Amino acid sequence: MTAGEREFIEQLVAAAAENGLPRTAARLLGHLLLAEEAKSLDELAEEAGVSKASVSLNARWLEQLGIVQRLASPGDRRDYYRLAEEPWEPIFAMARRRIQRFHCALSAGCRLLPP
C-alpha cells in the first residue's frame, strides 16, 4: 500500500468518524474502495490491522446498510466483500436523517422555550 493510499484511508476514517460511522467500518470502506476485487475477512483484517471479529462485525453492519455486498465463492467457505453498486446513497441517507433529527430538536426547542 502506498503512502498516498494510507493517507486517503486515514482521511476517510477521520471524516467518517466525525459523521457517526465507526472507525473500523470506515477503514474497511477505504480498503474496499481501493481494492480491485472482493476481499475476504482475513485479508481485510490483515490490511486494516484490526481483529477478524471486528472486521466481521463491521462488514455485516456495512452490508445491512447496503454499502457493501457479501459474496460466496464456489468451493470456498469464506465470505468475500466488495462495495455495493451504489455505496454512497446509504451513507448520505444516514447523514440526512441525522441532520433532520437535529433540525427537529431545534424546531421543538423554538416552540417550547420562551423567546
Side-chain angles (χ1 to χ4, degrees):
M1 178 173 289
T2 68
E5 290 171 331
R6 281 191 296 277
E7 178 62 25
F8 164 71
I9 289 173
E10 290 310 312
Q11 288 183 13
L12 182 65
V13 167
E18 288 175 5
N19 287 287
L21 256 66
R23 297 178 69 80
T24 300
R27 195 169 302 288
L28 296 180
L29 181 59
H31 283 277
L32 290 173
L33 276 165
L34 297 173
E36 293 184 20
E37 55 190 42
K39 299 276 187 169
S40 71
L41 292 175
D42 292 324
E43 291 170 321
L44 288 167
E46 183 179 330
E47 291 175 9
V50 296
S51 72
K52 186 176 174 182
S54 180
V55 168
S56 178
L57 178 73
N58 283 277
R60 283 195 313 263
W61 183 72
L62 290 170
E63 180 186 17
Q64 289 173 349
L65 292 175
I67 297 169
V68 302
Q69 293 176 315
R70 183 175 18 175
L71 307 169
S73 181
D76 190 344
R77 293 179 41 191
R78 295 178 293 178
D79 289 328
Y80 292 83
Y81 291 87
R82 70 172 181 204
L83 287 180
E85 289 295 319
E86 297 289 333
W88 308 120
E89 186 53 39
I91 293 171
F92 294 137
M94 284 183 353
R96 279 192 298 273
R97 286 190 300 271
R98 194 174 313 107
I99 291 169
Q100 185 61 39
R101 284 192 304 269
F102 190 65
H103 180 266
C104 287
L106 290 174
S107 294
C110 287
R111 287 189 311 276
L112 297 170
L113 300 172

